[in-house]
Amino acid sequence: MRARAHELLDQAYAAGVRYVDVARSYGRAEEFLAQWLRARPDADDVVVGSKWGYTYVAGWRVDADAHELKDHSVATFDRQLGESRALLGDRLDLYQIHSVTPDSPALHDEVLHRRLADLAAEGTLIGLSTSGPAQAEAIRAALGVRVGGRPLFRSVQATWNPLEPSAGPALAEAHDAGCLVIVKEALANGRLAGAGNLASGGAPADAVALAAALQRPWATVVLSGAVTGDQLASNLRAQTLTVDPARWQGLAVPGARYWHERSQLPWA
């Protein structure tokens, strides 16, 4: 797994990719990335984003009863920041609260906010990722969080794709407020990777879906999620495509339905 991860990172770097997104709950992703960075001192322009708030507990079993445990407490932040720093050191450029929803205590915990502000003062950008049908509500609540009169969250990572575009207006507001906007799940967890009705002019569906996200004027980074070199090469074709919005605007489904169907997808 480590060798495959490093091979893919080599290919991505050679192709011009300069942002890498990991998380405490993504198995050994931070560890594999840290090892690659140490082996590639020339890759000093890579921007590293990680996330805290989930603990991976599946033990590499896809049939485990639980895969991740969510906890946005100060204690979890302190523990996981220590774990991330132990691996990534000063290469941790962006640290995000993982999967914030409107009911997350992370939006209201002033002690946590001060801890995050202290980390920001050390030079690490503070952000959050969102999930669920109320992403827009969570994003707007986060934009209102201030410490010492200054906005705390300077980066937002959210799901946006042709099936679930509802966070778009809130992401535009985040962009206008000066935040980085990172799009995740642009392929709807693989559901759009083989969508024949998205393929266009010889371009594969995955590239078209990613291009649709890249064309959003508020999008700073669109995550690939590729796990093989062939997938990466196909994804990167999105950079040269211009997609007519008419190709995907009719694909959107109600948010509640989208997130319910997503919750039923098998772990793989």
Side-chain angles (χ1 to χ4, degrees), residues 15-35:
V17 174
R18 292 297 182 270
Y19 176 76
V20 181
D21 188 86
V22 291
R24 286 302 309 144
S25 61
Y26 293 171
R28 296 171 67 179
E30 282 187 339
E31 176 188 342
F32 291 171
L33 175 59
Q35 292 166 339

Side-chain angles (χ1 to χ4, degrees), residues 175-265:
H175 176 269
D176 291 345
C179 292
L180 299 177
V181 175
I182 301 172
V183 176
K184 64 182 176 75
E185 300 179 9
L187 299 181
N189 304 101
R191 283 182 280 173
L192 293 175
N197 54 339
L198 271 184
S200 174
D206 63 291
V208 173
L210 288 165
L214 283 168
Q215 287 176 204
R216 299 308 92 204
W218 37 258
T220 310
V221 172
V222 177
L223 301 181
S224 160
V227 296
T228 69
D230 287 346
Q231 289 175 354
L232 177 65
S234 185
N235 286 181
L236 290 175
R237 293 182 63 180
Q239 299 174 101
T240 62
L241 297 179
T242 299
V243 181
D244 181 353
R247 292 200 62 81
W248 55 265
Q249 282 184 339
L251 296 179
V253 300
R257 172 184 158 190
Y258 175 89
W259 290 98
H260 172 73
E261 291 175 350
R262 179 185 181 277
S263 72
Q264 304 303 305
L265 296 175

Side-chain angles (χ1 to χ4, degrees), residues 65-260:
D65 291 336
H67 294 264
E68 302 169 316
L69 296 179
K70 183 176 181 178
D71 184 351
H72 288 167
S73 67
V74 173
T76 295
F77 167 72
D78 288 343
R79 172 175 59 83
Q80 293 197 317
L81 175 61
E83 293 166 347
S84 293
R85 278 179 157 170
L87 292 168
L88 294 166
D90 61 3
R91 296 302 303 267
L92 183 62
D93 300 300
L94 167 63
Y95 211 40
Q96 305 162 92
I97 308 176
H98 202 162
S99 196
V100 172
T101 53
D103 60 351
S104 171
L107 292 171
H108 311 289
D109 188 335
E110 294 182 358
V111 175
L112 174 62
H113 294 170
R114 288 194 293 272
R115 287 277 215 287
L116 292 169
D118 289 344
L119 181 58
E122 297 174 10
T124 299
L125 201 68
I126 301 302
L128 75 158
S129 73
T130 63
S131 61
Q135 287 189 109
E137 183 181 346
I139 292 166
R140 291 182 173 119
L143 293 177
V145 175
R146 282 167 169 70
V147 176
R150 297 182 178 182
L152 176 62
F153 297 107
R154 309 309 299 147
S155 177
V156 175
Q157 181 178 137
T159 294
W160 185 96
N161 59 62
L163 293 178
E164 166 50 322
S166 65
L171 292 173
E173 294 169 26
H175 176 269
D176 291 345
C179 292
L180 299 177
V181 175
I182 301 172
V183 176
K184 64 182 176 75
E185 300 179 9
L187 299 181
N189 304 101
R191 283 182 280 173
L192 293 175
N197 54 339
L198 271 184
S200 174
D206 63 291
V208 173
L210 288 165
L214 283 168
Q215 287 176 204
R216 299 308 92 204
W218 37 258
T220 310
V221 172
V222 177
L223 301 181
S224 160
V227 296
T228 69
D230 287 346
Q231 289 175 354
L232 177 65
S234 185
N235 286 181
L236 290 175
R237 293 182 63 180
Q239 299 174 101
T240 62
L241 297 179
T242 299
V243 181
D244 181 353
R247 292 200 62 81
W248 55 265
Q249 282 184 339
L251 296 179
V253 300
R257 172 184 158 190
Y258 175 89
W259 290 98
H260 172 73

